[in-house]
Amino acid sequence: MNSDRDAVHDRYATAARRALAGEGTGLLAGEGDAERLGAVHYVGAELPVEVTATSLGCGNPLAVAELKPGESVLDLGSGGGLDVLLSARRVGPGGRAIGLDMTDEMLTLARRHAEQAGVTNAEFVKGTIEQIPLPDASVDVVISNCVIALSSDKPAVFGEIARVLRPGGRLGITDMLADDSLTDAERAARAGAVECLGGALTADRYRTLLHDAGLSGVDVQLTHETGDKLHSAIIKAIKPIEVVAMTADHADRVLAIYQAGLDTGQASFETTAPAWEAWDAAHLPEHRLVALDSAGRVIGWAAVSAVSSRCVYAGVVEHSVYVDPEAQGRGVGQALLAALIASTEDAGIWTIQSGVFPENTASRELHRRAGFREIGVRERVGRHHGVWRDVVMIERRSSRVGT
């Protein structure tokens, strides 16, 4: 360990030993600490008070991360395990919550809390946030609560976050940020006290380092003041999904994902995916895209077909977007639609349109976020598995083509 990490380790190991002995952690003893830090952010958490009392954070990352059932979530610097236990409940039996901490004492405390709470889908591993002991692309969400500010090598932390996140995975954390007005002298004066101010980044620096690590959609919002020139902040980011041009090599996965969508009964009037030759003939070659996971496996696709051969419809296409069921909820559809819009607009296409079953609320919301509007409902368009179905007509008009 380096000297800074040694000091942080000893401080939090001592806090854990106190908690294991039934005492307070002793870390939130300053004037106003209890009103700004710790358990105050977990009112109504429905966990024993001895668990929430071990929180030493500056916020509640679970209010940021929007966890979904079945997801894998990693908590950096998990301490007494509060955020891991709450995460485990939110992701459900099909999900996984992992706590990472470098102190044996905190790991012991967290495991005790998990056992007392009866949580079985949580685990706690030893390691540092600069060298996370997990495989590449192994988690959907990374959370943390006022821990990254304590690291002396933040580029390494952000690089590790990007490494362990799956494509489309997200970062949702709370952390301490410093004012832009903080001077080097003020920072140096506080650094020796193992306080957040010594290592806290400014908002601009935080954004830069996250971008440098390859994350996108970075959003940094200050929430409340926690000390002199020190603020709690909510930080969000995502790991981009790779979207590339579709080729014939992708055919098997494209058709398999298509069939999985048809099998839901909410994607199309079709019930069986066609052979590749028929699919290929029906879609324009210039606007076929696939989303890939970290192993290069297709996890979604988007393509368009011509609406008509008449010249007046040269700038109008009908589109399809399908996502592997195992990759849904990771932003794959959003990434594909964004790339498809860019591709069609670059080619002078001004309208993308399609029809969606009214019951397919997920698709309707996805398209709304991508700028599509619902222009009406065609009633009883056709029979699907013997039932007459309506179709919501959607379209997106370009703001830069055809205006």
Side-chain angles (χ1 to χ4, degrees):
M1 289 188 185
N2 59 39
S3 58
D4 290 340
R5 187 182 297 168
D6 286 343
V8 172
H9 177 281
D10 292 346
R11 187 183 192 206
Y12 287 91
T14 299
R17 284 193 291 269
R18 287 174 57 90
L20 286 166
E23 306 170 9
T25 63
L27 292 186
L28 301 182
E31 182 179 353
D33 280 356
E35 287 75 41
R36 299 188 300 264
L37 305 170
V40 67
H41 299 290
Y42 293 88
V43 176
E46 298 183 357
L47 283 174
V49 65
E50 59 266 27
V51 180
T52 56
T54 60
S55 172
L56 304 170
C58 56
N60 181 349
L62 274 76
V64 180
E66 300 177 359
L67 302 180
K68 302 179 182 66
E71 290 188 317
S72 295
V73 56
L74 168 66
D75 181 19
L76 301 181
S78 52
L82 172 60
D83 291 322
V84 177
L85 301 185
L86 293 174
S87 296
R89 289 183 174 179
R90 294 196 183 187
V91 300
R96 179 186 182 204
I98 308 162
L100 174 68
D101 205 278
M102 67 177 176
T103 62
D104 290 320
E105 294 85 352
M106 280 295 184
L107 292 169
T108 298
L109 180 62
R111 288 170 183 143
R112 174 195 288 183
H113 286 159
E115 183 177 0
Q116 290 172 341
V119 174
T120 59
N121 61 329
E123 60 186 281
F124 298 90
V125 297
K126 187 174 182 179
T128 68
I129 62 176
E130 296 85 4
Q131 290 182 303
I132 299 173
L134 293 178
D136 295 356
S138 55
V139 298
D140 299 302
V141 187
V142 172
I143 64 173
S144 183
N145 193 353
C146 196
V147 170
I148 295 175
L150 299 172
S151 173
S152 60
D153 190 356
K154 294 176 182 63
V157 176
F158 297 141
E160 283 291 272
I161 290 171
R163 181 183 66 79
V164 300
L165 278 174
R166 295 187 176 110
R170 60 196 186 278
L171 172 71
I173 65 174
T174 56
D175 205 7
M176 294 288 197
L177 269 63
D179 275 359
D180 292 334
S181 62
L182 180 68
T183 66
D184 291 342
E186 289 171 325
R187 188 182 292 276
R190 296 286 293 276
V194 198
E195 296 189 38
C196 293
L197 186 60
L201 300 172
T202 63
D204 284 345
R205 184 60 177 156
Y206 223 108
R207 293 186 188 96
T208 297
L209 290 180
L210 288 172
H211 282 300
D212 289 348
L215 300 178
S216 63
V218 176
D219 181 36
V220 179
Q221 298 181 22
L222 302 183
T223 56
H224 60 279
E225 189 174 89
T226 57
D228 182 32
K229 297 189 177 182
L230 196 64
H231 299 269
S232 175
I234 291 170
I235 299 101
K236 300 179 182 180
I238 61 173
K239 182 173 181 178
I241 295 167
E242 184 179 10
V243 176
V244 301
M246 184 190 301
T247 70
D249 292 337
H250 300 131
D252 289 346
R253 284 291 299 158
V254 167
L255 295 178
I257 292 170
Y258 189 14
Q259 186 62 58
L262 297 179
D263 289 343
T264 67
Q266 299 298 339
S268 170
F269 280 103
E270 303 296 331
T271 58
T272 304
W276 175 252
E277 291 74 15
W279 189 99
D280 182 41
H283 294 85
L284 298 179
E286 301 88 355
H287 310 292
R288 305 176 181 182
L289 302 166
V290 291
L292 305 177
D293 65 13
S294 56
R297 184 170 180 263
V298 175
I299 54 176
W301 61 267
V304 300
S305 302
V307 170
S308 171
S309 60
R310 295 173 61 191
C311 292
V312 70
Y313 288 104
V316 182
V317 293
E318 184 172 353
H319 81 295
S320 300
V321 56
Y322 284 79
V323 177
D324 186 330
E326 295 184 0
Q328 290 176 2
R330 298 187 200 166
V332 177
Q334 187 174 356
L336 283 165
L337 277 179
L340 187 68
I341 290 167
S343 173
T344 53
E345 288 191 331
D346 287 345
I349 292 171
W350 58 79
T351 299
I352 306 174
Q353 65 183 38
S354 192
V356 180
F357 287 143
E359 298 83 2
N360 195 344
T361 55
S363 179
R364 292 171 67 180
E365 175 60 20
L366 169 66
H367 284 88
R368 185 194 64 78
R369 292 198 304 268
F372 285 76
R373 62 180 182 136
E374 297 183 354
I375 59 176
V377 177
R378 294 183 63 194
E379 298 180 350
R380 295 170 59 85
V381 173
R383 294 172 68 88
H384 183 243
H385 294 299
V387 177
W388 285 99
R389 301 290 297 269
D390 299 341
V391 171
V392 177
M393 305 305 297
I394 62 174
E395 71 170 21
R396 182 187 185 279
R397 296 286 184 93
S398 173
S399 60
R400 68 181 180 92
V401 180
T403 58

